[in-house]
């Protein structure tokens, strides 16, 4: 089998063949999800725990739905109300949950690296649902599946990622994935929202939309992440929309068949004009949500297979995993 990973913590350590294997499997889950009976039993008997230490709508909902459609027992921990508030450390919480024998842990955390740390303390498969500004692998994978289905390929495309790149784990995971699959990635942002060390990413950097969007196949907009900003990154939202917000005029610089993406949640009128977001001829934002469920099903299916193999190997050798 081509997908060997034990956890899905980021795109950084995935091989292009693993990415392709996961997307191929996700395609089959898109078909299942469009059918009348949206159910399989590949996770039957397994327990999935979702731990979201940060707010989420679509990511949490789609992980929950994905687990249920695959037949797992799914539990959502209300982290706002958990013992973390009473001072328990992340590691203690992880060890407590681990004692309940989960098979899949889905974790979102505001600190970069927290999910990796947790994965070292538990003996089940861990999926990173977003850690700080670091990685959001399932988002990049669902974006890749959306692009591959819309464009018929996932290589030699010109893709612009625009907006608040500095605070975005979505951008980081996408830059890595799209680069591994041999696409040309362009980053467009005001200098204050461009991360430092961007030169090492193997991307082209622009600070204006007209130049950056020239003839691209894909326009990926990012939310202005106000909760991660501590003041003066932009002069005003109105000015930001004027210079960097995607509207029909700016979209005209891209290829005539360029698609428009956004991971959500959107700030309409800040980074994207509402009419562009709703234009079914250009925007694939709803497809991204649909692909999100399929990609998460594929990721959990593959990790569960590896977990079963590891446990079978370990029990033959007489050790616990
Ligand atoms: C993103 C996230 O949480 O990183 N949203 C998502 O998962 N759909 C992007 C964002 O919050 O702007």
């Amino acid at each position: 089998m081509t997908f060997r990973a034990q956890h899905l913590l980021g795109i950084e350590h995935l091989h292009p063949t693993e990415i392709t294997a996961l997307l191929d499997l996700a395609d089959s889950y898109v078909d299942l999800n469009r059918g009348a009976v949206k159910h399989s039993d590949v996770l039957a008997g397994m327990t999935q725990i979702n731990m979201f230490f940060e707010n989420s709508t679509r990511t949490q909902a789609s992980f929950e739905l994905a687990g249920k459609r695959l037949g797992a027992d799914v539990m959502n921990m209300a982290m706002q109300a958990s013992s973390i508030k009473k001072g328990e450390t992340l590691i203690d919480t992880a060890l407590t949950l681990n004692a309940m024998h989960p098979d899949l842990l889905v974790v979102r955390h505001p600190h970069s690296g927290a999910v990796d740390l947790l994965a070292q303390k538990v003996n089940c498969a861990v999926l990173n649902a977003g850690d700080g500004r670091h990685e959001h692998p399932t988002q990049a994978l669902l974006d890749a599946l959306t692009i591959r289905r819309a464009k018929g390929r996932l290589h030699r495309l010109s893709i612009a990622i625009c907006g608040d790149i500095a605070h975005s784990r979505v951008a980081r995971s996408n830059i890595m994935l799209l680069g591994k699959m041999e696409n040309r990635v362009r980053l467009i942002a005001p200098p204050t929202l461009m991360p430092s060390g961007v030169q090492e990413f193997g991307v082209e950097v622009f600070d204006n939309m007209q130049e950056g969007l020239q003839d691209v196949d894909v326009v990926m907009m990012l939310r202005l992440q106000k909760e991660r900003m501590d003041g003066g990154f932009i002069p005003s939202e109105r000015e930001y929309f004027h210079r960097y917000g995607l509207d029909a005029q700016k979209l005209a610089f891209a290829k005539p068949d360029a698609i428009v993406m956004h991971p959500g949640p959107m700030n309409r009128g800040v980074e994207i004009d509402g009419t562009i977001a709703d234009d079914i001829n250009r925007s694939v934002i709803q497809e991204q949500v649909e692909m999100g469920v399929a990609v998460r099903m594929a990721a959990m299916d593959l990790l569960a297979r590896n977990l079963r193999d590891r446990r079978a190997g370990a029990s033959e050798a007489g050790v616990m995993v």
Side-chain angles (χ1 to χ4, degrees):
M1 191 172 54
T2 39
F3 192 90
R4 295 299 330 158
Q6 188 173 343
H7 306 292
L8 182 59
L9 299 176
I11 298 298
E12 190 173 1
H13 301 295
L14 286 184
H15 191 272
T17 56
E18 290 183 296
I19 294 170
T20 303
L22 195 150
L23 298 183
D24 291 347
L25 181 62
D27 265 328
S28 72
Y29 281 124
V30 175
D31 295 338
L32 180 80
N33 290 339
R34 287 182 180 180
V37 180
K38 303 167 183 58
H39 211 269
S40 117
D41 58 5
V42 301
L43 297 185
M46 291 193 141
T47 302
Q48 172 191 338
I49 302 182
N50 297 334
M51 295 165 74
F52 281 68
F53 296 89
E54 224 184 49
N55 292 343
S56 169
T57 312
R58 69 215 82 218
T59 306
Q60 181 165 358
S62 65
F63 264 116
E64 182 176 352
L65 201 52
K68 287 183 171 162
R69 286 187 179 165
L70 296 180
D73 297 313
V74 185
M75 181 173 85
N76 289 311
M77 289 282 293
M79 296 321 296
Q80 316 294 346
S82 79
S83 296
I84 291 275
K85 287 271 180 287
K86 298 184 187 164
E88 188 175 69
T89 67
L90 173 66
I91 300 304
D92 282 332
T93 306
L95 293 176
T96 304
L97 288 177
N98 195 48
M100 298 180 192
H101 299 290
D103 302 287
L104 297 152
L105 264 186
V106 179
V107 187
R108 168 170 286 192
H109 198 280
H111 297 161
S112 305
V115 185
D116 291 47
L117 184 69
L118 196 140
Q120 293 164 25
K121 306 288 175 191
V122 296
N123 40 25
C124 61
V126 176
L127 293 101
N128 181 1
D131 64 322
R133 307 174 185 188
H134 179 226
E135 281 237 36
H136 191 352
T138 55
Q139 179 69 45
L141 288 160
L142 76 88
D143 290 338
L145 186 63
T146 308
I147 295 170
R148 194 173 83 165
R149 291 172 70 101
K151 292 286 158 198
R153 66 178 199 276
L154 188 58
H155 60 273
R156 296 226 251 113
L157 293 167
S158 182
I159 298 159
I161 304 178
C162 323
D164 185 0
I165 295 163
H167 299 103
S168 177
R169 54 196 175 209
V170 176
R172 273 182 59 88
S173 290
N174 263 302
I175 291 165
M176 283 188 263
L177 190 154
L178 295 168
K180 280 177 199 267
M181 305 313 275
E182 295 179 12
N183 296 284
R184 284 181 63 174
V185 179
R186 299 167 150 223
L187 304 183
I188 315 174
T192 48
L193 294 179
M194 196 63 90
S196 57
V198 77
Q199 298 77 8
E200 287 143 44
F201 292 173
V203 295
E204 291 169 82
V205 176
F206 298 87
D207 71 359
N208 85 74
M209 294 286 270
Q210 177 163 0
E211 283 172 28
L213 290 182
Q214 211 66 57
D215 294 327
V216 299
D217 300 288
V218 177
V219 184
M220 190 182 287
M221 300 307 299
L222 298 172
R223 183 174 65 90
L224 204 56
Q225 305 213 1
K226 289 175 245 174
E227 76 278 18
R228 297 192 205 283
M229 297 180 185
D230 43 17
F233 282 88
I234 55 162
S236 72
E237 286 184 0
R238 203 160 156 244
E239 174 69 11
Y240 183 80
F241 181 70
H242 175 66
R243 296 198 52 193
Y244 295 98
L246 188 67
D247 56 12
Q249 219 181 348
K250 298 191 192 81
L251 182 57
F253 299 124
K255 284 203 182 131
D257 63 350
I259 55 169
V260 174
M261 307 178 74
H262 193 303
M266 276 186 278
N267 294 308
R268 289 170 183 259
V270 179
E271 70 263 357
I272 190 163
D273 183 59
T275 34
I276 297 285
D278 298 334
D279 180 352
I280 53 166
N281 296 315
R282 305 305 294 270
S283 162
V284 293
I285 295 170
Q286 296 309 320
E287 280 84 345
Q288 287 175 271
V289 179
E290 182 186 7
M291 295 310 126
V293 180
V295 153
R296 288 168 181 128
M297 289 167 86
M300 291 198 289
D301 178 353
L302 291 170
L303 290 174
R305 292 186 210 186
N306 291 350
L307 184 65
R308 283 193 202 97
D309 287 352
R310 242 182 8 263
R311 283 177 176 166
S315 79
E316 268 169 39
V319 288
M320 284 268 293
V321 178

